[in-house]
Each structure stands twice: as C-alpha cells, then as structure tokens.
Amino acid sequence: VFFNELGFKTLISRVKFDENIVTKIQTPKIENNIELSKLEDWQQLESKIRKAGKVAILYANEKPNFISFAVDNETSYNLSFENEPALFSQNQQIGISDVQAKLIAIMEDESIVKIGHDIKLLCHFIYKQHLTDNEKIASYEDLMLMSYVLDNGRLSHDLVSLIKNHLYEENVSYSASKLNHLYDILKPRLLSEQVLNLYKTIENPLSI
C-alpha cells in the first residue's frame, strides 16, 4: 500500500513479500501449558526428555517459584511452588527435594542438551549449598550468553527483551517452549556470524 501511494509500481513488481513471515509476526503461535501435578506426569515428561535428547528449562525465582520444561516449541510443562512447606502446594505427591534430585540427574546427563536462560540461577536452586557440584553439569546452552555474543551493545539480553525482540511479543509471558524457539533462532546465527567458537570456548563456560 505504501509503495502504491508513492507510485513505485516497478519496485513493487521486483519485491516479493514472504506472507508466511508476516503471518508469524502478526499471529503468535498458540502454546499449550500443562501443569505437572502428579508423579506420573513427571515420569511421562522425563520419558519425552530422554527420547528428544534435549530439554528447555526455565526457572523463575519469584513468589511462588516457577519451573517450566519443554522439549519443543509448542508445549510447556509447568510447576509452581513455595520454598515452604517442602511439598508443592498443588499436589502432595511432588516435593521440592524430589524435583531437585530429578533435575540433577538431567543436568548431569551428557546425552541430554539443556537449554536455559541464565543457567547459573537454576544451578543455585538445584544444588543449594553445594555449588561446586555445578562442574558436573554437561551439555548445556545459555541463551543469555548467546545473545550477549551476537548482539552485545545493540540489544538487552534479559529474557523479556529476547522474547520481545525475537518472538515479537508485546505482553510477554514465560514458558520453556519459548526458550526452545529462541534457541532455534539464535544458535544458527552463532555459526553464520562466525562467533560459535567465542561462545563455546569463552562465554558459555561462564554460565555455571
């Protein structure tokens, strides 16, 4: 319309607009959010994680605390809990210590790629006083540091900014599936912009 009003008919004929891209920007994908409330729910999720060989984990140290897991860009599995009492309020089957133990098993499993934002915060939750155990974590990716390497000085690297700038959301909500989506966007750029080695050898080890 803008080009038509200015009379740039020749230019219009040369420019091809990708309608799919426009649709993605204007119409956010609907996400599924599933509450983890029983041990059976966790066992099913753990099976999905091991089958996929990767998992995005989002931990928010708020009141109540919040953990979200996702193996794809569409579905997140969520837990909300208080530091006290020791059990999750939504269902007495799942305790904080249970989830910490299960998270440690996943974080230390080299065959599972862990995707997070500011992974150090997650480490503080799962290891508590034993922070030296962070060294046992294997196969992890930190979106905050990816963004720092790619867009330092141009964009902010907090999660809200990443979601707004790359997923085009105005009213931001947290979910682990969005971490997977951001990973799919940022990881290829590390290779194409020739900064993958900088991220892998210098920045990413600082995550923990």
Side-chain angles (χ1 to χ4, degrees):
V1 177
F2 175 72
F3 287 151
N4 276 322
E5 290 177 350
L6 296 181
F8 295 156
K9 295 182 179 179
T10 303
L11 181 58
I12 293 172
S13 65
R14 294 178 181 176
V15 176
K16 294 182 179 180
F17 295 100
D18 190 332
E19 294 181 358
N20 291 327
I21 292 177
V22 173
T23 301
K24 288 179 181 178
I25 293 175
Q26 293 180 344
T27 309
K29 181 180 290 186
I30 297 175
E31 295 177 291
N32 298 317
N33 285 284
I34 298 173
E35 291 297 321
L36 291 172
S37 59
K38 299 186 295 292
L39 287 176
E40 291 81 2
D41 297 335
W42 175 268
Q43 291 165 353
Q44 291 176 10
L45 171 60
E46 192 172 19
S47 176
K48 291 177 184 290
I49 291 171
R50 297 195 179 281
K51 184 177 180 180
K54 72 168 187 174
V55 59
I57 306 173
L58 172 61
Y59 171 63
N61 184 17
E62 300 174 350
K63 292 185 178 181
N65 291 325
F66 174 78
I67 296 183
S68 179
F69 305 87
V71 296
D72 55 37
N73 299 356
E74 299 174 358
T75 303
S76 295
Y77 299 83
N78 307 320
L79 275 170
S80 297
F81 60 96
E82 303 284 353
N83 288 326
E84 297 292 342
L87 294 176
F88 289 103
S89 58
Q90 291 181 335
N91 193 296
Q92 298 298 299
Q93 291 186 11
I94 306 177
I96 293 177
S97 59
D98 296 326
V99 172
Q100 286 171 329
K102 293 177 183 300
L103 275 172
I104 287 173
I106 290 173
M107 297 297 284
E108 296 181 1
D109 189 333
E110 191 173 357
S111 68
I112 301 173
V113 177
K114 279 72 65 175
I115 300 165
H117 180 275
D118 192 4
I119 288 179
K120 188 173 291 186
L121 185 64
L122 177 62
C123 291
H124 276 267
F125 167 68
I126 64 175
Y127 288 113
K128 293 299 183 181
Q129 292 88 356
H130 307 288
L131 294 180
T132 54
D133 287 341
N134 291 3
E135 298 175 1
K136 299 177 182 178
I137 294 178
S139 305
Y140 58 89
E141 304 278 13
D142 196 317
L143 298 170
M144 183 174 70
L145 293 181
M146 280 188 185
S147 177
Y148 178 81
V149 170
L150 290 165
D151 297 310
N152 188 28
R154 298 194 305 116
L155 299 175
S156 297
H157 314 297
D158 60 279
L159 186 54
V160 171
S161 296
L162 293 185
I163 293 173
K164 284 185 175 182
N165 291 325
H166 298 291
L167 304 185
Y168 308 102
E169 288 188 18
E170 289 298 325
N171 300 314
V172 174
S173 60
Y174 290 129
S175 68
S177 60
K178 291 174 184 177
L179 298 188
N180 272 323
H181 198 167
L182 288 168
Y183 179 76
D184 290 343
I185 293 170
L186 297 179
K187 186 62 182 287
R189 285 184 56 198
L190 292 173
L191 184 61
S192 65
E193 298 179 30
Q194 300 181 351
V195 290
L196 180 61
N197 189 57
L198 172 62
Y199 165 73
K200 282 291 188 184
T201 61
I202 298 178
E203 296 297 340
N204 199 41
L206 298 176
S207 294
I208 57 173

